[in-house]
Amino acid sequence: PDSPGVIFLHSAWGLTACHRQMCDRLAAMGLHVVAPDLYGGATADTWEEAQRLRTQRRTSDRWSAIARATSHLQRSTGRRRPIGVVGLSMGGHWALFLAERGEIAVAATVVFYAVRGGDYRDSRSAFQFHLAAEDEYVSSLRVQKLRGKLEAASRPADFYTYEGTQHWFCDRERPQSYDENAAQLAWTRTEAFVQHHLLPHAAAPLAG
């Protein structure tokens, strides 16, 4: 298809209805969206279930699913055409891992409530982060370290922190954490970021 592609990577809750709605929102922009199901169809209703699902699936199995989805997207849209990656929490860790890999033409990476280390010197992506102000899983020190790594790699990165929010603030199915205003702002920024980095270049190969 003529539309550029996006890999969507779900959180530890699985590929839930909320995540599918997020995929639909990206697809409505004219993007070709692929969302690998890292749990083989299972979803969690409680955090205990989510933790169990995450530990039951081997890391290698999850990476294999992501690699297959990436290859499929590259075949569908053109191997040298830039793609985007959107990941939430657990999926955000995978999104950053994918963006590290210089052989994959990732041009835009959007991460919700997640950071990770890594080596981004081979990355060709711009980055956008949406972080909760009160997050027991993401420390300010880890954010600072990641910011330094991206700066050292000369990768453009925007970090947005949403006051008064907690982890899962964009997830309608987590009412204890969901913040409608923050979620709407985060998705407006996501759409603008993806529009800027992918849609204007839909017909152009990635340089390098």
Side-chain angles (χ1 to χ4, degrees):
D2 293 333
S3 57
V6 170
I7 299 286
F8 181 92
L9 299 172
H10 64 73
S11 74
W13 298 98
L15 190 56
T16 62
C18 179
H19 289 142
R20 293 178 186 275
Q21 290 169 1
M22 293 175 179
C23 293
D24 291 342
R25 187 163 178 170
L26 292 168
M29 296 177 62
L31 298 163
H32 183 70
V33 182
V34 175
D37 190 334
L38 307 183
Y39 290 165
T43 59
D45 293 321
T46 67
W47 183 235
E48 290 73 19
E49 290 176 0
Q51 294 282 68
R52 187 162 55 251
L53 284 172
R54 186 167 62 176
T55 56
Q56 283 176 349
R57 289 275 170 166
R58 293 185 302 178
T59 299
S60 58
D61 291 338
R62 292 198 293 259
W63 171 242
S64 294
I66 294 168
R68 288 194 300 270
T70 303
S71 296
H72 168 75
L73 191 63
Q74 289 176 317
R75 289 194 301 271
S76 299
T77 62
R79 182 162 292 274
R80 291 185 58 79
R81 180 171 292 179
I83 65 174
V85 186
V86 176
L88 294 91
S89 196
M90 180 187 78
H93 288 263
W94 283 114
L96 289 169
F97 180 74
L98 199 62
E100 282 186 69
R101 304 171 69 88
E103 74 275 16
I104 302 174
V106 178
T109 303
V110 182
V111 176
F112 289 80
Y113 22 85
V115 296
R116 71 181 296 273
D119 184 348
Y120 297 91
R121 289 174 294 180
D122 292 332
S123 176
R124 294 183 279 173
S125 182
F127 295 82
Q128 186 181 77
F129 294 86
H130 302 284
L131 304 172
E134 303 167 12
D135 195 328
E136 61 182 308
Y137 305 108
V138 180
S139 70
S140 58
L141 178 60
R142 291 177 63 201
V143 174
Q144 183 179 352
K145 287 183 177 179
L146 176 58
R147 189 191 294 266
K149 285 181 175 290
L150 293 173
E151 288 177 354
S154 299
R155 302 319 310 154
D158 296 319
F159 287 79
Y160 297 107
T161 300
Y162 298 83
E163 293 303 320
T165 61
Q166 303 174 17
H167 210 86
W168 320 119
F169 68 85
C170 282
D171 193 331
R172 291 180 178 274
E173 295 172 309
R174 315 298 145 211
Q176 303 90 336
S177 305
Y178 178 65
D179 186 308
E180 184 173 4
N181 291 334
Q184 289 180 352
L185 178 56
W187 271 100
T188 297
R189 287 169 168 167
T190 296
E191 290 170 345
F193 180 79
V194 171
Q195 172 83 31
H196 176 74
H197 288 284
L198 293 183
L199 291 173
H201 312 294
L206 192 69

